Amino acid sequence: MTSAPPPGGEDPSEDLLALLDGRPLGLVQRSRLADFPDYLAELTPITPVPEGAMSIDYLIGDPRQTGRGLGTAMIRSVIERTWAEHPAAGCVLVPVSTANRASWRALEKAGMRRVAEGELEPDNPIDGREHYLYRIDRPGPSGPP
């Protein structure tokens, strides 16, 4: 993944370009939920949102690359990078349209768990308001102290 500054430098989100064999595969936008108070206010009645929580939005550019596990790998990679690059992030929380089965299955395969369901304003106007919310927490220390 490579990072690119947002156009105009005003959006606090990070745009990450996912590469496959050195060629662009997809795009992931990563953001701190606290940087978007209106969106945070929409999420909190549905599920608790811890301080420092991050979110991602993602897509694979070429539809011929879907259905091959690449989205899952891309999501898993950005989650691992989030732990390394954002030490205050305790979790990643991702809303996804209930109708977008391929997307929520990719989140599950990447290790995220469904924690809530509720109505949110859709990113895409053709999607309905019903969304699942998926979460993964920062791994803690393992083993006995």
Side-chain angles (χ1 to χ4, degrees):
M1 298 238 177
T2 60
S3 297
E10 297 169 11
D11 187 337
S13 297
E14 300 169 89
D15 294 326
L16 306 170
L17 181 62
L19 304 174
L20 177 65
D21 298 328
R23 297 176 58 193
L25 168 70
L27 180 68
V28 178
Q29 188 174 61
R30 179 172 61 187
S31 56
R32 285 185 303 271
L33 286 168
D35 289 339
F36 298 90
D38 291 343
Y39 191 51
L40 186 59
E42 192 177 6
L43 290 173
T44 54
I46 300 169
T47 190
V49 179
E51 188 173 326
M54 305 281 295
S55 189
I56 60 172
D57 200 359
Y58 46 88
L59 66 87
I60 292 180
D62 182 352
R64 296 173 296 183
Q65 298 286 10
T66 61
R68 300 175 43 203
L70 299 172
T72 298
M74 184 173 69
I75 293 164
R76 193 176 291 130
S77 175
V78 79
I79 290 170
E80 290 172 9
R81 283 188 59 172
T82 299
W83 305 146
E85 296 169 359
H86 293 274
C91 76
V92 176
L93 186 64
V94 181
V96 63
S97 171
T98 59
N100 191 344
R101 185 177 195 280
S103 186
W104 53 261
R105 286 293 296 140
L107 293 169
E108 290 171 353
K109 290 176 185 175
M112 299 191 79
R113 70 186 190 290
R114 188 182 304 173
V115 295
E117 181 176 346
E119 290 190 2
L120 297 169
E121 193 63 40
D123 289 335
N124 186 337
I126 66 168
D127 289 334
R129 292 185 50 82
E130 284 299 314
H131 284 72
Y132 294 136
L133 280 92
Y134 281 83
R135 178 175 169 162
I136 190 167
D137 294 318
R138 176 182 292 277
S142 59

